Amino acid sequence: MDLLEYQVKEWFGKIGIPVLPSQRIDHPTDLKRLKIRYPVVLKSQVHAAERAKAGGVRIVETTIDAIAAAQTIFNLPIWGELPEVVLAESKYDAKQELYLAVVLDTAVCRPVLLGCKEADIDWESAGEKMEYVVVEQEFSPFYARRLALKLGLEGTLMQSISDAIEKMYQLFIQKDLDLVEINPLGVSASGQVMALNGKVRVNERAIGRHPEISQMAAKIVKSHGNSENNGHGGKWDSGETHGKIGILGNGTGSVLATLDLVVNSGGKPGLCLNLRHAFLSDTAETTFCDRLDTSLKILTADKSIQVILINLLGSSSQDTELAEVIGKFIQQDKTEIKPQAVRSNGQRSRRDSGSPRLVVRLAGSEFDTARKYLASLKTQSDSPIVVENLDEAVAESVRLAKSTVSKR
């Protein structure tokens, strides 16, 4: 989850990283009460890159110009995203600009400090100019000074930038982040340093451990409920196509393998969700069964989904509860569809029947209780199909999806 610039600047200011005087603008008329001296820079608060080239950054000298510019920015989509907030910030004249970052290197499983004496980085050749220091043990100011020395800095500038790197690392650890970036870090003629722009990427696994971040995530989901991942997971924990078979799995590999098999069998997968991790919208700790219940509701709300394929492999400490969640979902569906009309040909459509058909693949001895419980529910034609072989489960899902289409 990436934060917007004004949120990043708030975090920077609290931890002691130098930032310019700024003010959040929710409506152009807010500029009538601006507390910052002109000239002022207005910045569109969107996640898309290259705001300046798209017209999302404007320098203004008066209140009238500022209101007119803000009206334009609020109505300017950048890569399809309209800003809900504009950041007003003091103009800063930088003599020099640098790039600094703290990033989690998954290859070595350690934080890495990055620095470059050029802020406008060509990432294709960044390896030639970028300096780095791997934080191999418990962090100390030594690591920050080492990076500053590698950048060729000296004197008070080396100390100022070392201090900024230390604060970046503190933020990185405190908030469970994947990335803290200052680009650019401006240096004035007097040697003063200033974070002119920043980027923060939160580790999605850690959102639930930080109430402040959980609230941010919940607002993002509320505002962008129809986003690519439907707001319910990170890019590795959910995927969305526009097919008729929804997929639930207990691991990234499980979900992707199931998706591939559905495609290879001639089916069209829809929304896929990984039950192993919490959703971005979860503001409190959740269990596996909580996420299963939520996921079933999410897929049911998607009227394009005809079949839900649940693929669970391995073990579960909530075997009985898992079966009860599925059973409750089925019984609730039956209750809801009783008063609804049946089509003249005697077959209910997906929209008429309320919920999609269920195909459940449970592999592993730990799921014996769940299998027996679900098998006992086979009293009607639309009860769940429970199998242990994944190929069989995929074949049944594709068959059901195609038969539902042919009946409509």
Side-chain angles (χ1 to χ4, degrees):
M1 184 182 82
D2 290 346
L3 270 59
L4 292 168
E5 181 189 358
Y6 80 94
Q7 297 169 322
V8 174
K9 295 287 182 65
E10 288 175 1
W11 281 12
F12 282 181
K14 288 178 182 178
I15 206 161
I17 297 172
V19 292
L20 292 166
S22 63
Q23 188 172 327
R24 170 178 168 159
I25 305 299
D26 296 295
H27 189 273
T29 56
D30 291 348
L31 288 159
K32 294 179 180 179
R33 296 173 291 277
L34 190 65
K35 300 176 182 179
I36 307 169
R37 291 184 178 181
Y38 288 95
V40 167
V41 182
L42 300 179
K43 300 181 179 181
S44 178
Q45 296 301 285
V46 293
H47 292 99
E50 300 184 342
R51 294 175 299 173
K53 292 181 180 179
V57 178
R58 303 281 291 275
I59 300 173
V60 292
E61 303 282 346
T62 66
T63 301
I64 294 176
D65 291 342
I67 292 174
Q71 289 174 337
T72 300
I73 292 174
F74 272 114
N75 291 286
L76 177 67
I78 301 176
W79 291 98
E81 183 180 358
L82 278 171
E84 297 180 3
V85 176
V86 169
L87 180 66
E89 192 172 66
S90 296
K91 187 174 179 294
Y92 187 82
D93 293 319
K95 180 183 178 182
Q96 181 182 2
E97 292 184 345
L98 296 87
Y99 172 91
L100 295 176
V102 182
V103 63
L104 180 65
D105 189 333
T106 55
V108 296
C109 299
R110 299 299 302 172
V112 177
L113 311 180
L114 298 176
C116 183
K117 294 186 76 172
E118 297 178 14
D120 189 11
I121 300 172
D122 178 5
W123 289 105
E124 293 185 359
S125 59
E128 302 172 5
K129 300 177 181 179
M130 189 76 71
E131 301 292 345
Y132 71 93
V133 173
V134 179
V135 182
E136 297 174 339
Q137 298 176 348
E138 185 176 352
F139 184 82
S140 73
F142 159 79
Y143 288 106
R145 287 197 297 270
R146 186 177 176 188
L147 179 62
L149 287 170
K150 280 191 167 189
L151 291 172
L153 305 175
E154 55 186 25
T156 56
L157 182 58
M158 183 192 78
Q159 187 59 50
S160 298
I161 290 181
S162 296
D163 290 343
I165 296 170
E166 286 184 53
K167 295 294 195 304
M168 291 170 67
Y169 189 86
Q170 290 176 23
L171 184 64
F172 180 84
I173 297 299
Q174 286 178 12
K175 302 291 188 180
D176 287 320
L177 306 179
D178 284 338
L179 171 70
V180 180
E181 179 182 271
I182 299 178
N183 185 27
L185 179 78
V187 182
S188 68
S190 63
Q192 178 194 38
V193 298
M194 192 68 63
L196 301 182
N197 196 0
K199 183 175 182 178
V200 162
R201 177 165 296 158
V202 180
N203 187 307
E204 291 167 355
R205 309 287 185 271
I207 288 175
R209 294 199 291 268
H210 302 275
E212 176 189 4
I213 301 175
S214 295
Q215 291 174 7
M216 289 180 178
K219 288 179 181 178
I220 291 173
V221 171
K222 185 176 180 180
S223 301
H224 306 282
N226 295 322
S227 63
E228 180 182 355
N229 289 328
N230 211 26
H232 298 290
K235 63 182 179 180
W236 301 117
D237 288 328
S238 74
E240 184 174 9
T241 57
H242 300 285
K244 302 181 183 301
I245 302 175
I247 297 172
L248 301 180
N250 59 341
T252 303
S254 170
V255 172
L256 294 178
T258 308
L259 186 150
D260 287 342
L261 286 172
V262 168
V263 172
N264 292 338
S265 299
K268 295 181 179 180
L271 181 62
C272 306
L273 296 172
N274 181 1
L275 302 175
R276 179 165 290 176
H277 303 297
F279 300 136
L280 284 179
S281 54
D282 293 331
T283 57
E285 186 176 350
T286 60
T287 66
F288 182 85
C289 288
D290 291 334
R291 295 190 288 274
L292 173 61
D293 183 54
T294 301
S295 298
L296 289 170
K297 291 175 182 176
I298 291 169
L299 292 178
T300 301
D302 184 346
K303 296 302 180 182
S304 65
I305 298 295
Q306 308 287 334
V307 179
I308 297 176
L309 171 54
I310 303 175
N311 177 21
L312 303 181
L313 173 65
S315 61
S316 171
S317 59
Q318 298 179 288
D319 184 27
T320 303
E321 292 90 337
L322 181 150
E324 290 175 352
V325 168
I326 297 175
K328 181 181 176 182
F329 172 78
I330 297 167
Q331 295 302 324
Q332 188 175 26
D333 176 42
K334 295 183 189 303
T335 303
E336 290 174 352
I337 66 175
K338 280 183 180 179
Q340 297 182 11
V342 177
R343 292 193 171 219
S344 59
N345 64 359
Q347 300 289 348
R348 289 192 297 266
S349 74
R350 157 72 175 92
R351 192 170 294 276
D352 290 334
S353 65
S355 289
R357 292 292 307 275
L358 281 183
V359 178
V360 184
R361 184 261 182 149
L362 301 174
S365 59
E366 297 292 333
F367 290 117
D368 287 345
T369 302
R371 272 193 292 269
K372 291 177 182 178
Y373 179 85
L374 294 175
S376 69
L377 299 177
K378 289 186 177 181
T379 56
Q380 297 191 23
S381 61
D382 55 356
S383 294
I385 296 174
V386 184
V387 298
E388 193 167 354
N389 182 277
L390 180 56
D391 289 333
E392 184 180 348
V394 170
E396 287 291 341
S397 300
V398 174
R399 180 185 64 80
L400 287 171
K402 290 181 177 180
S403 65
T404 305
V405 173
S406 65
K407 291 173 183 177
R408 294 186 62 175

